Amino acid sequence: DTGVSQNPRHKITKRGQNVTFRCDPISEHNRLYWYRQTLGQGPEFLTYFQNEAQLEKSRLLSDRFSAERPKGSFSTLEIQRTEQGDSAMYLCASTPVGTRATGELFFGEGSRLTVL
Amino acid sequence: GQQLNQSPQSMFIQEGEDVSMNCTSSSIFNTWLWYKQDPGEGPVLLIALYKAGELTSNGRLTAQFGITRKDSFLNISASIPSDVGIYFCAGPAYSGAGSYQLTFGKGTKLSVIP
């Protein structure tokens, strides 16, 4: 399967714990995005990378959240001191070089976080 | 920020019926996209529209970019059970930090009764 891969698919944690999600984009895609989706809502932009550079962070991304893409390939999203409000689906997406518009994103299956 | 309003929020239809849903915005969009999300999965791009008035088809799906650039429509003809899912409209909106990022509506949930 050469699509965007995310793991773990599901994570249940206690409030206050740290969690980390991994995303492996489609190879050759130089742009990688993280989105968050809560129940009954559409995905919301969190942050994006072009190669290894993190170019933008949404104001939704509090300082408890950190994302990295150290070699311009896979990316990790870490949430420290989780809160119940962090419960959501975390979606990763990638786009190839020269995408016509900001929008033709290839999404992974998501990592669902439940904070107890 | 720019918001996308989708209607209806949900719909139940009989298999074989045609479906129509729309998306409106108070601001102009230069691109409209329609995604479908199956339960427990990520969204999948169905159709992308780049020009006001454009009408584009993808199999049984047809989408239109409104001439005011503030709305878009998605039609599904002869619905089948696998059309079940949530349909999102989306468009690039100014992020406030110097770039345009994809913003999504809240979705239209489609249920098909066999």
Side-chain angles (χ1 to χ4, degrees):
Chain A
D1 187 345
T2 56
V4 177
S5 175
Q6 293 188 245
N7 65 82
R9 293 290 311 277
H10 303 276
K11 178 72 177 178
I12 300 173
T13 191
K14 291 183 179 179
R15 188 176 53 189
Q17 299 294 306
N18 300 344
V19 296
T20 300
F21 300 114
R22 175 178 169 129
C23 171
D24 288 89
I26 296 171
S27 56
E28 305 111 39
H29 283 196
N30 68 338
R31 294 181 189 159
L32 184 149
Y33 300 77
W34 286 99
Y35 279 77
R36 180 174 70 187
Q37 186 177 25
T38 53
L39 200 61
Q41 304 293 319
E44 295 173 295
F45 170 74
L46 291 179
T47 188
Y48 111 90
F49 292 82
Q50 180 149 316
N51 300 313
E52 66 275 9
Q54 187 174 20
L55 296 187
E56 188 165 337
K57 293 190 283 188
S58 160
R59 62 180 182 278
L60 293 176
L61 210 67
S62 78
D63 51 12
R64 295 185 296 105
F65 287 68
S66 61
E68 295 182 342
R69 194 182 184 196
K71 296 181 181 179
S73 57
F74 73 91
S75 175
T76 57
L77 177 68
E78 181 183 17
I79 309 173
Q80 295 183 323
R81 306 180 303 281
T82 53
E83 301 172 357
Q84 288 182 325
D86 296 332
S87 296
M89 174 83 90
Y90 290 86
L91 292 162
C92 176
S94 65
T95 55
V97 174
T99 300
R100 178 175 177 178
T102 303
E104 295 185 14
L105 302 183
F106 293 79
F107 282 90
E109 295 171 320
S111 293
R112 180 167 293 286
L113 173 65
T114 301
V115 181
L116 302 176
Chain B
Q2 289 169 292
Q3 288 189 323
L4 297 175
N5 302 304
Q6 289 191 244
S7 65
Q9 283 188 318
S10 63
M11 50 196 317
F12 290 81
I13 60 167
Q14 290 285 142
E15 183 177 354
E17 287 184 347
D18 296 344
V19 174
S20 184
M21 60 189 77
N22 68 21
C23 185
T24 60
S25 170
S26 57
S27 305
I28 287 172
F29 277 78
N30 292 316
T31 301
W32 286 92
L33 304 110
W34 286 91
Y35 282 80
K36 182 193 177 197
Q37 186 173 30
D38 291 332
E41 305 291 329
V44 174
L45 179 65
L46 298 174
I47 293 179
L49 302 158
Y50 298 105
K51 188 176 176 182
E54 180 180 354
L55 187 71
T56 298
S57 293
N58 177 7
R60 293 177 297 105
L61 276 61
T62 301
Q64 183 161 24
F65 190 145
I67 56 173
T68 67
R69 295 197 284 161
K70 291 184 178 181
D71 58 9
S72 179
F73 304 87
L74 177 69
N75 296 312
I76 305 172
S77 62
S79 58
I80 59 177
S82 62
D83 291 333
V84 164
I86 303 177
Y87 291 80
F88 291 100
C89 64
Y94 185 62
S95 69
S99 73
Y100 284 79
Q101 299 299 336
L102 199 59
T103 189
F104 286 80
K106 292 187 177 182
T108 292
K109 186 175 182 180
L110 178 64
S111 300
V112 178
I113 304 166

